[in-house]
Amino acid sequence: MPSLQRTTRLAPSPTGALHLGNARTFLINWALARQNNWQIVLRIEDLDSPRVKPWAKQQAVDDLQWLQMDWDTNAGLQLDDLTPYKQAMSMLREKHLIYPCRCTRKEVVEAQSAPHIDDHELCYPGTCRPVDFSTICEDQPDAAWRVVTQDQPISYTDAFAGEQSHNVSQQVGNFVIATKAGLPAYQLAVVVDDARQGVTDIVRGDDLLRSASRQLWLYQCLELTPLPTYWHLPLVLGPDGRRLAKRHGDTRLSYYREMGTSAEKIIGLIATWSGVHSTRVPMSAMEFKERFDITKLSHDPVTFTDEDDQWLTNN
Ligand code: GLU
């Protein structure tokens, strides 16, 4: 029997410019794929309107190409065809697994029984969950849709981060799979797309670690197989220990490109962050791919320092 063709994806969200942290995750993803003969799908995740910036779609492609990455297929834009997500919604509706919800964020905040560790992630108390799902009609203007979850842990082995076990009901409760704007939410879109695009290996930042169990729950609800293998990688932090962001100055790839920094310097910096090289030396993506060894990648987050920035901008 021929072995399953393994496939990964590069999935930038055009909600802003790609920065050095994004570049490290993408470069490692690309190198793993090219080392192991996985196919690479490029998928621009443009569903998150109104946060999507029209210019960011092309810029993400330009940034990845500038960093000498390539891919085998281009999945196109998610907004161009909503049919696959609608089909998934129909299936979930028929299985009585989803229901409409018109709660505002404020209402969900006020309904919290205990202070939540991360207030970006509220735990939905089930306010709109019906007793009888059979009477729910399809047409629900201005409603989000939530999926029923089970109060038990979902466990899986992350190929990089190791054993994971998360109770989705206790973390976020019945989570949103379609927004009030009538669009599929990230959790649903990513599962539908990964499954239909044959993605077997998902490599991404560990800020999405908790999302993986939600996504595995959707695989189960939608009866999708095989389940993907996840590789959640540590993030790049600023000198203050917080996730790399605007507050740390300009770390956009396009900024460095405009400053005249070479792609090889960016890759060389990422190499020092990834167990490839102990000192900063310019390097091609091909050389990075040849030297990169996932077993040597630290499990600790990386810190972007002022010296790193000086090295990049000193031409
Ligand atoms: N588009 C998402 C992001 O850029 C990645 C989603 C995923 O890898 O599942 O954060």
Side-chain angles (χ1 to χ4, degrees):
M1 221 174 82
S3 61
L4 174 74
Q5 169 63 58
R6 286 172 72 170
T7 301
T8 189
R9 69 329 194 254
L10 302 173
S13 288
T15 47
L18 299 186
H19 57 58
L20 291 170
N22 305 123
R24 178 174 109 118
T25 308
F26 284 129
L27 193 65
I28 293 177
N29 191 355
W30 174 85
L32 271 177
R34 289 295 178 239
Q35 286 176 346
N36 296 292
N37 294 319
W38 303 346
Q39 291 283 302
I40 304 178
V41 178
L42 174 75
R43 183 172 78 224
I44 309 280
E45 303 205 317
D46 67 335
L47 279 175
D48 193 6
S49 50
R51 289 177 61 230
V52 165
K53 316 272 185 308
W55 51 264
K57 297 178 201 169
Q58 187 56 44
Q59 196 180 77
V61 174
D62 293 346
D63 286 344
L64 295 173
Q65 286 178 333
W66 179 61
L67 288 180
Q68 304 164 9
M69 285 176 244
D70 61 353
W71 43 89
D72 305 297
T73 48
N74 189 333
L77 297 172
Q78 296 171 310
L79 270 180
D80 285 350
D81 182 13
L82 296 178
T83 322
Y85 318 112
K86 287 189 179 146
Q87 283 167 347
M89 292 271 297
S90 300
M91 178 169 175
L92 295 172
R93 212 166 34 238
E94 276 159 27
K95 292 176 82 177
H96 294 173
L97 286 168
I98 57 173
Y99 59 89
C101 167
R102 290 188 176 78
C103 291
T104 60
R105 185 175 166 82
K106 188 161 170 260
E107 283 163 344
V108 181
V109 172
E110 282 166 2
Q112 297 300 292
S113 55
H116 212 263
I117 23 161
D118 173 358
D119 72 349
H120 293 293
E121 277 211 327
L122 301 168
C123 190
Y124 183 68
T127 320
C128 294
R129 182 171 173 157
V131 177
D132 179 5
F133 281 72
S134 62
T135 54
I136 299 173
C137 72
E138 190 179 331
D139 193 26
Q140 296 285 346
D142 306 320
W145 287 81
R146 291 183 181 270
V147 66
V148 166
T149 51
Q150 286 180 331
D151 191 6
Q152 59 189 47
I154 293 182
S155 305
Y156 67 98
T157 306
D158 186 293
F160 183 76
E163 296 305 313
Q164 303 295 320
S165 186
H166 300 271
N167 183 319
V168 177
S169 283
Q170 286 174 18
Q171 282 183 345
V172 281
N174 297 175
F175 57 91
V176 171
I177 56 128
T179 68
K180 288 184 180 171
L183 291 172
Y186 160 68
Q187 304 291 359
L188 179 71
V190 78
V191 168
V192 168
D193 286 344
D194 284 332
R196 71 194 178 109
Q197 290 157 10
V199 172
T200 57
D201 291 85
I202 295 174
V203 183
R204 60 189 181 188
D206 64 10
D207 52 332
L208 289 169
L209 192 63
R210 284 154 60 101
S211 279
S213 34
R214 291 165 220 171
Q215 291 163 16
L216 287 169
W217 171 240
L218 290 178
Y219 274 85
Q220 205 173 312
C221 295
L222 290 164
E223 297 167 35
L224 296 168
T225 52
L227 299 178
T229 299
Y230 291 99
W231 308 69
H232 285 99
L233 310 179
L235 297 181
V236 177
L237 310 178
D240 58 355
R242 293 163 77 192
R243 197 200 298 186
L244 202 59
K246 279 202 183 111
R247 60 179 163 260
H248 300 117
D250 205 340
T251 61
R252 293 172 306 140
L253 297 174
S254 53
Y255 160 76
Y256 289 111
R257 195 164 65 215
E258 278 155 27
M259 291 280 290
T261 304
S262 68
E264 285 80 2
K265 268 196 162 182
I266 305 272
I267 298 165
L269 176 61
I270 294 172
T272 65
W273 287 346
S274 311
V276 169
H277 214 273
S278 53
T279 53
R280 303 181 197 96
V281 279
M283 188 181 285
S284 69
M286 206 49 89
E287 198 180 343
F288 180 91
K289 180 208 89 175
E290 258 133 45
R291 290 165 166 245
F292 176 72
D293 178 354
I294 187 83
T295 65
K296 301 221 170 82
L297 188 70
S298 168
H299 285 255
D300 295 328
V302 164
T303 304
F304 173 62
T305 63
D306 291 340
E307 293 76 53
D308 290 332
D309 182 58
Q310 275 157 22
W311 184 69
L312 288 179
T313 48
N314 242 328
N315 291 307

